[in-house]
Amino acid sequence: MTVKAGVVSSQRAPMAVIEMCLGLTGNMSGLLGNRKTLIVEGGSDALIINKLSGILRAEGRTSLSDSIYLWPAHGAPNTPMYAAFAIGQKWHSGVLLDTDSAGQEAKKKITDLYLSKLSDEDANRFRVLMIGEAAGIKGTDVAIEALFPAEFYLELVNEAYGITIKSEDLPIDGSSMITKRIEMVLKNKYGHSELDKNNVLIKLLERFDSWKTAKDLPRGTASNSEKLFNTINKAFDDVVTPK
């Protein structure tokens, strides 16, 4: 078995195993090779991005290019494996990472293990984007939830858990990421082991159904999203001009 770039085999059998591990079925990898692929940390990232992009696109505002496919990696630690496959296949691709310690570690692995060993031409086929910088959101830690105002996400958490956490209850030191700040309160005040983002996502999905226009979105969400989409599109040389 010949391995190229550490991840790609010239034989079909081992490649099929790799594709299965990455959630690729049938000829899906071939289809993705003909598109621009952006790896995201999880399914909720893809769901939120697609929903917000659809609302903005319907109003002729800056949205994610239709030519960019979102590929969830099931967590930041898994993104280097997905990136390795995309890089090895010479896809026009990239990854969108949270601006936190896990995201920075994933970025370092992708750069050190793969991008640093490629020619400039091959390395330029893959883009590493950090969501904080890409969306113009300041903070020590920034994730997809930061597209929404903190008070809105806190409202979703309170609905999901049937509790009443107030903004002033959230710690102001340590991480600036809303999920991590809320999780500290859940642990210290309510005895929960962690913040279950899936429970919060269910409440977010309920809100999604009522969002038809940009005016329906929480304060600042449309602006943050447009900045993010514009950065992603430019990274892929695929600028979407609003109508």
Side-chain angles (χ1 to χ4, degrees):
M1 179 176 69
T2 302
V3 178
K4 301 176 183 178
V7 291
V8 180
S9 170
S10 60
Q11 298 181 21
R12 181 59 202 159
M15 282 300 295
V17 174
I18 295 173
E19 290 174 3
M20 183 177 66
C21 291
L22 298 178
L24 299 174
T25 58
N27 195 38
M28 187 177 177
S29 64
L31 294 174
L32 290 185
N34 291 313
R35 295 183 64 81
K36 298 167 183 175
T37 302
L38 181 66
I39 301 162
V40 293
E41 290 196 10
S44 59
D45 296 64
L47 189 155
I48 290 170
I49 288 172
N50 281 326
K51 175 62 178 182
L52 296 175
S53 179
I55 291 175
L56 294 173
R57 181 183 299 113
E59 295 195 347
R61 297 177 62 167
T62 301
S63 60
L64 185 69
S65 170
D66 286 335
S67 69
I68 299 175
Y69 174 82
L70 300 179
W71 191 19
H74 311 292
N78 290 326
T79 56
M81 176 174 61
Y82 283 71
F85 186 87
I87 292 168
Q89 295 282 62
K90 297 184 182 297
W91 290 354
H92 283 291
S93 53
V95 62
L96 179 66
L97 297 166
D98 289 350
T99 307
D100 63 356
S101 58
Q104 296 291 356
E105 182 177 352
K107 177 182 179 180
K108 187 175 188 304
K109 285 185 177 179
I110 292 169
T111 301
D112 293 348
L113 294 177
Y114 310 116
L115 297 181
S116 64
K117 296 177 173 60
L118 299 176
S119 66
D120 290 342
E121 180 181 356
D122 287 339
N124 287 337
R125 290 177 179 269
F126 194 87
R127 304 102 177 128
V128 180
L129 303 173
M130 308 304 291
I131 193 167
E133 293 86 339
I137 300 172
K138 297 180 180 180
T140 56
D141 298 313
V142 180
I144 193 70
E145 294 84 6
L147 294 177
F148 307 106
E151 58 268 22
F152 170 76
Y153 194 80
L154 181 56
E155 183 179 323
L156 295 178
V157 171
N158 284 332
E159 289 182 11
Y161 282 87
I163 56 180
T164 307
I165 300 177
K166 299 178 181 179
S167 296
E168 52 265 32
D169 296 331
L170 301 179
I172 58 175
D173 57 344
S175 175
S176 62
M177 191 178 292
I178 186 63
T179 54
K180 292 182 179 180
R181 296 172 67 200
I182 291 174
E183 186 170 73
M184 291 180 66
V185 178
L186 288 175
K187 289 180 177 180
N188 297 333
K189 187 175 181 179
Y190 295 94
H192 292 281
S193 59
E194 62 180 4
L195 169 64
D196 189 335
K197 289 187 178 182
N198 287 331
N199 287 341
V200 184
L201 182 60
I202 291 172
K203 295 300 178 181
L204 179 58
L205 291 176
E206 293 175 359
R207 300 295 184 93
F208 273 5
D209 294 336
S210 65
W211 293 346
K212 306 301 180 184
T213 70
K215 291 182 179 179
D216 298 325
L217 299 177
R219 175 185 51 82
T221 301
S223 176
N224 290 338
S225 300
E226 284 191 296
K227 290 176 184 176
L228 174 62
F229 300 150
N230 186 53
T231 300
I232 295 172
N233 294 339
K234 284 185 175 180
F236 280 92
D237 297 320
D238 200 347
V239 179
V240 176
T241 303
K243 298 178 181 178

